[in-house]
Amino acid sequence: MIIDTHLHPTNLVDEAWRHTGEPFNGERMLKMMDGPYMINGKPRRIDMGFIQPPPGNTGYRDGNRRGREGIRDYMAYVASLCQKYPDRFIGNFTFNPRWGPEEGALELEFHVKEYGFKMLKLHANMHGYRPDRALDWLRPAMKVCAKYNIVVLIHTGDGPYTIPTMFYPIIREFPMVNFIIGHFGIQTGGNYSFEAFWMAMDTPNVYCESGWCFQSRIVEFARQLPRDKIVFGTDTPPNEPGMWLRELEMLCGPAPQGMDLDEDGLEDYMGNNIARLVGIEPTAPPKTQEEAQARLKDTYASTR
């Protein structure tokens, strides 16, 4: 099973990045997920994806409702997609503490119970806070994550507020919560991939997301990290998921571009690792062309 940890479908144009004049809605996202993408000679699709609003659409603007009502408004489209396509989309709750830390924690719990959300997203740059100093803003949501086994995806890779080690205080305070370093520490403002690597090596509850990382670094890191420590994520849109799948597929080739990874290991990176973290049953890679073709039309059981 291939699971993308990082998708941004929207029924509104992304207010921060714009991208294009047409909203990248859920149906466009499903078409992109369906591919097919050739992986080790077999056609594959992205079977499931964690979805969240574009971060630019989760800040306060004139005319918004406030508190829990405002949060529920910016999460509404993602929640509706999780209801409409429960076999393909898994909810990722965007937590902006500036709407109220307690209010956000209550809305997180509501989305977990009502819609089966399994992940929370932090974007300290977009929402304007220092994660190493704003611990009181984060603790209410982290307590909910600990209660319901919610994985936390952290936007990282650019200053001033999303350098990976700035999240160490909250990560260490909540060792029972699993944290994913989004973008492997790489984004518009810098390359902190080695910070992300050492955090995952040294901290049991830290994992790294593959997308945005350089192909040669993925090989270097995968050789040393425990196999469960890398998860697949693309940040689509603006990214195209096939290039990041190809980056992981390269690990099955010989050195120096690859590491002779077996297909079970590749399946772990592409989906089974995150599946285990959130309680979804992992699957073996398809053994034949016929099995791979059949999976392109599979309907998985609901993730709730």
Side-chain angles (χ1 to χ4, degrees):
M1 184 186 306
I2 299 178
I3 303 176
D4 193 328
T5 62
H6 203 145
L7 301 173
H8 293 286
T10 177
N11 59 345
L12 302 170
V13 174
D14 186 324
E15 296 191 21
W17 296 113
R18 308 307 292 177
H19 296 317
T20 69
E22 289 293 325
F24 205 96
N25 63 21
E27 286 67 35
R28 286 182 71 183
M29 187 68 74
L30 285 171
K31 184 177 180 180
M32 180 162 281
M33 290 167 65
D34 283 343
Y37 302 97
M38 296 303 293
I39 305 294
N40 285 334
K42 301 183 184 72
R44 304 291 301 272
R45 70 173 186 178
I46 297 171
D47 299 292
M48 296 180 181
F50 288 84
I51 59 171
Q52 62 201 277
N57 295 354
T58 62
Y60 180 80
R61 299 167 306 287
D62 286 346
N64 286 146
R65 297 195 294 176
R66 296 177 182 268
R68 290 187 65 178
E69 291 180 334
I71 298 168
R72 197 167 296 188
D73 287 345
Y74 74 66
M75 291 304 307
Y77 184 62
V78 163
S80 71
L81 289 176
C82 291
Q83 292 177 289
K84 188 175 182 180
Y85 304 105
D87 58 330
R88 302 298 301 277
F89 289 142
I90 312 164
N92 183 352
F93 181 88
T94 299
F95 178 73
N96 181 353
R98 290 191 175 275
W99 292 77
E102 296 291 346
E103 288 81 356
L106 289 170
E107 275 304 298
L108 168 61
E109 187 167 34
F110 171 81
H111 283 74
V112 170
K113 290 182 174 180
E114 189 72 15
Y115 306 120
F117 277 38
K118 296 181 180 292
M119 190 175 285
L120 175 138
K121 173 70 175 291
L122 298 178
H123 200 311
N125 264 4
M126 191 66 72
H127 299 146
Y129 63 93
R130 278 188 60 171
D132 54 342
R133 294 293 182 265
L135 296 176
D136 284 342
W137 285 9
L138 297 176
R139 286 182 179 118
M142 295 305 103
K143 291 176 182 177
V144 176
C145 291
K147 180 178 179 181
Y148 293 102
N149 188 35
I150 301 302
V151 174
V152 178
L153 175 65
I154 303 169
H155 170 93
T156 66
D158 41 15
Y161 305 132
T162 61
I163 296 168
T165 48
M166 296 178 78
F167 292 88
Y168 250 145
I170 201 68
I171 288 169
R172 293 184 183 280
E173 186 173 331
F174 288 87
M176 72 296 291
V177 175
N178 292 312
F179 293 82
I180 298 172
I181 306 297
H183 314 308
F184 223 118
I186 300 173
Q187 247 301 301
T188 57
N191 179 355
Y192 300 93
S193 58
F194 281 90
E195 276 196 16
F197 166 71
W198 284 113
M199 288 173 70
M201 285 288 283
D202 292 346
T203 314
N205 59 323
V206 172
Y207 301 79
C208 291
E209 180 188 69
S210 64
W212 290 96
C213 194
F214 304 138
Q215 183 267 325
S216 57
R217 292 285 81 79
I218 282 283
V219 180
E220 180 178 351
F221 298 148
R223 285 184 181 133
Q224 299 180 67
L225 283 167
R227 185 176 284 188
D228 66 331
K229 285 286 191 167
I230 295 176
V231 301
F232 169 62
T234 66
D235 202 7
T236 299
N239 288 336
E240 191 278 327
M243 62 178 291
W244 305 114
L245 285 168
R246 172 63 175 157
E247 179 180 69
L248 293 176
E249 181 195 23
M250 284 292 297
L251 297 175
C252 295
Q257 291 85 7
M259 52 182 277
D260 295 308
L261 181 69
D262 59 39
E263 289 201 349
D264 287 330
L266 179 62
E267 205 75 8
D268 285 344
Y269 290 147
M270 293 194 303
N272 283 343
N273 283 342
I274 189 62
R276 294 184 185 102
L277 285 177
V278 301
I280 297 173
E281 187 69 26
T283 62
K287 293 182 172 60
T288 65
Q289 288 284 343
E290 292 73 23
E291 184 181 350
Q293 287 286 349
R295 287 196 189 186
L296 296 178
K297 298 181 180 180
D298 273 351
T299 299
Y300 290 93
S302 171
T303 61
R304 293 186 61 181

